[in-house]
Amino acid sequence: MLGNLGLLAGLALLIFMAMRGINIFIASLVCALVVAVTNGLLIPQTLLEYYPSGSLGAFSFAGRFFLLFLCGAIFGKAMATSQAAKSISLAITRSLGVKHTLLVGMIVCALLTYGGVVVFVVVFTMYPLGITLMREANLPKRLWAAATSVGAGTFTMTALPGTPSIHNVISASSLGTDLFAGGWIGLFAALIMAGLGMWYVERGWRIARANGEGFVENAQDRRMEQLAGDLDNVPSWKLSLIPMVVVLGTIMLPRLIIAMADWSQSDSLFATLLIFSQAQPIIWPSMALILGSLTCVVLFPSMRRKMVEVFGQGAEDSIMPLINTAAVIGFGGVVTQTAGFSQFAQWILGADLPPLLSVFASASVVSAIVGSSSGGLQIFMQTLAPQYLEMGIEPEILHRIAAIASGGLDSLPHCGAVIATFMIMGLTHREAYKDMFMVTVAIPVIACLASIALLMALGVGVTPPA
């Protein structure tokens, strides 16, 4: 009983400390100690094994995925410094116009994140441009936050096949699948998330106009707007798309070539490279991101003059997202050592639920505990995924459904991405969390359940063991 109360207390304290802006490493360590003490775990083992270096330790995760975070941050920095990201944003804005401000925000964020630009860079790049749009459209900031989150933090993160997102890579590296696993059901879920998400924010804008609610500027907005700089001094949008095409092409082309012919019997260098691309879900997308970064250097003179500096800044930018994600993994690593987590695992695996619904429930709950979709997904893959494979769930379907499920209840108030978005935009949870909850929690949950319902109706995805 005390152990279960300790788990709840540790989770509640983590939510409270995260919302108060306390450093996530300090918060996760304190909460891990609360869980350890109340569950009878030895403090030396907790601090020196379970939290930092166990199979679900913070630095075990950081070491495994450091390369992907590093390359992703470098590519994001290259796209931002060269102003290629800004150029793409402006082109879409000018094409769709102010009356479609919410659609502009969603499309630009979706395009950039699917092309390999990390979420934080996308939000930070888009907001200074968005201020002008919001002012002209008289759009409440809370709805801009929600619309950009639809594009950057839902379907491109977990559902679309081929994306170099950490969620896609975690599933592929854990299950031996590739980045395109479960592609068709991922597209189905993506359509639901994008469609319902945009319907919700557009409906919210109509209600806001009827109630006389509009854009309210603050001092932070004026500071952020200055970061947009000269909007006329940007490269061509067509040129700016090329680095993203390079990233996605490097990931997708080997898959297309392999689909057209059997290369398994060939010992040529080209065949070896094709097989390598499918067998390395961390290294290959990392290479694609570096190729995209080098493409920025070739295409944009501003990058050629300070390539070493930009790459160095990108490397530095990779540290905090990696460490923050690793911190919640470390907390989860301690939680998984408790009797309460074992009881939960036994209960959910033994419950009279269809296997795919059980996957949804378990991945969602774990992501909610740590407040991170990538952290929750990593814990799920390490602790529960093997049992679901034994139940007969196809690896490709488990890859996609678990990834989509992890992107639902992760966005509770203590989610790092939610807190960072509100900080950048000068919003509070009281002002904006309701809309954020709808587009990043409720709608992804609906999309995941609809996808599971479709799979069950078609009778695919699960082969009962003999």
Side-chain angles (χ1 to χ4, degrees):
M1 181 66 176
L2 178 63
N4 290 336
L5 289 176
L7 285 174
L8 293 174
L11 175 58
L13 184 60
L14 182 63
I15 293 173
F16 174 78
M17 295 177 78
M19 291 182 64
R20 293 298 298 267
I22 296 173
N23 179 278
I24 191 61
F25 245 115
I26 295 174
S28 63
L29 270 172
V30 170
C31 296
L33 285 173
V34 170
V35 171
V37 170
T38 55
N39 282 269
L41 301 179
L42 297 176
I43 300 301
Q45 280 184 298
T46 298
L47 295 179
L48 300 178
E49 180 182 347
Y50 302 148
Y51 184 94
S53 58
S55 60
L56 281 170
F59 297 106
S60 299
F61 173 87
R64 187 176 188 188
F65 293 102
F66 168 72
L67 182 64
L68 184 68
F69 274 84
L70 173 68
C71 297
I74 289 174
F75 179 62
K77 191 68 177 179
M79 289 290 288
T81 303
S82 66
Q83 302 199 75
K86 184 189 298 183
S87 174
I88 295 168
S89 303
L90 287 172
I92 295 175
T93 299
R94 289 164 179 165
S95 174
L96 293 177
V98 173
K99 67 178 181 179
H100 296 298
T101 295
L102 291 172
L103 184 61
V104 167
M106 189 277 283
I107 290 176
V108 173
C109 289
L111 184 63
L112 292 175
T113 50
Y114 189 62
V117 183
V118 293
V119 172
F120 183 80
V121 171
V122 171
V123 174
F124 196 82
T125 299
M126 277 299 295
Y127 188 60
L129 302 174
I131 293 169
T132 302
L133 288 173
M134 285 186 283
R135 183 185 293 114
E136 293 183 19
N138 197 28
L139 172 73
K141 285 195 290 185
R142 61 182 178 85
L143 294 174
W144 175 262
T148 53
S149 296
V150 172
T154 61
F155 61 95
T156 58
M157 185 175 72
T158 60
L160 287 183
T163 175
S165 74
I166 183 64
H167 311 80
N168 215 15
V169 172
I170 286 173
S171 294
S173 61
S174 299
L175 298 173
T177 52
D178 63 25
L179 301 182
F180 297 85
W184 69 273
I185 198 65
L187 288 172
F188 174 77
L191 287 172
I192 294 176
M193 289 187 223
L196 284 182
M198 288 310 301
W199 170 80
Y200 175 82
V201 294
E202 292 286 1
R203 173 180 172 275
W205 194 10
R206 290 194 299 272
I207 294 173
R209 286 197 298 266
N211 293 335
E213 180 187 2
F215 176 70
V216 178
E217 187 176 64
N218 57 30
Q220 179 170 326
D221 292 333
R222 292 187 286 274
R223 290 193 298 270
M224 291 292 292
E225 195 170 20
Q226 292 175 356
L227 297 176
D230 184 2
L231 300 183
D232 295 320
N233 187 25
V234 295
S236 160
W237 68 268
K238 295 178 182 177
L239 205 63
S240 300
L241 281 173
I242 293 176
M244 296 170 57
V245 172
V246 168
V247 172
L248 292 175
T250 302
I251 293 172
M252 294 180 176
L253 191 58
R255 175 65 180 257
L256 295 174
I257 295 174
I258 289 175
M260 291 187 291
D262 182 9
W263 295 86
S264 60
Q265 304 303 315
S266 174
D267 58 358
S268 67
L269 179 61
F270 184 67
T272 301
L273 186 63
L274 289 176
I275 294 171
F276 177 84
S277 72
Q278 301 304 295
Q280 297 294 333
I282 297 176
I283 293 178
W284 191 256
S286 299
M287 291 172 58
L289 291 163
I290 287 299
L291 283 175
S293 303
L294 293 174
T295 304
C296 288
V297 174
V298 172
L299 293 177
F300 307 117
S302 61
M303 279 294 299
R304 291 198 291 273
R305 290 191 295 268
K306 48 185 176 180
M307 181 188 79
V308 174
E309 178 186 351
V310 171
F311 278 34
Q313 290 173 347
E316 292 176 1
D317 290 346
S318 71
I319 299 301
M320 288 312 299
L322 177 62
I323 292 299
N324 288 344
T325 304
V328 297
I329 292 278
F331 170 74
V334 175
V335 169
T336 59
Q337 299 298 318
T338 64
F341 184 84
S342 297
Q343 291 166 3
F344 165 75
Q346 292 171 4
W347 173 79
I348 196 68
L349 291 170
D352 188 21
L353 287 173
L356 291 176
L357 276 179
S358 180
V359 169
F360 163 77
S362 55
S364 296
V365 169
V366 173
S367 294
I369 289 173
V370 296
S372 166
S373 52
S374 55
L377 185 60
Q378 176 71 4
I379 294 169
F380 171 86
M381 287 296 171
Q382 289 280 345
T383 58
L384 296 169
Q387 288 90 331
Y388 286 114
L389 291 174
E390 292 176 1
M391 291 181 188
I393 299 179
E394 297 172 6
E396 291 77 12
I397 297 299
L398 181 59
H399 171 135
R400 192 56 56 197
I401 293 299
I404 297 169
S406 73
L409 297 184
D410 68 303
S411 298
L412 295 180
H414 63 305
C415 173
V418 171
I419 294 170
T421 298
F422 288 171
M423 286 180 62
I424 290 172
M425 298 186 183
L427 294 167
T428 65
H429 280 72
R430 181 187 297 273
E431 293 170 328
Y433 185 69
K434 173 189 172 184
D435 301 304
M436 186 70 76
F437 175 86
M438 290 301 300
V439 300
T440 64
V441 179
I443 290 174
V445 165
I446 292 170
C448 190
L449 291 175
S451 301
I452 291 171
L454 178 60
L455 289 167
M456 292 174 63
L458 296 176
V460 299
V462 181
T463 305

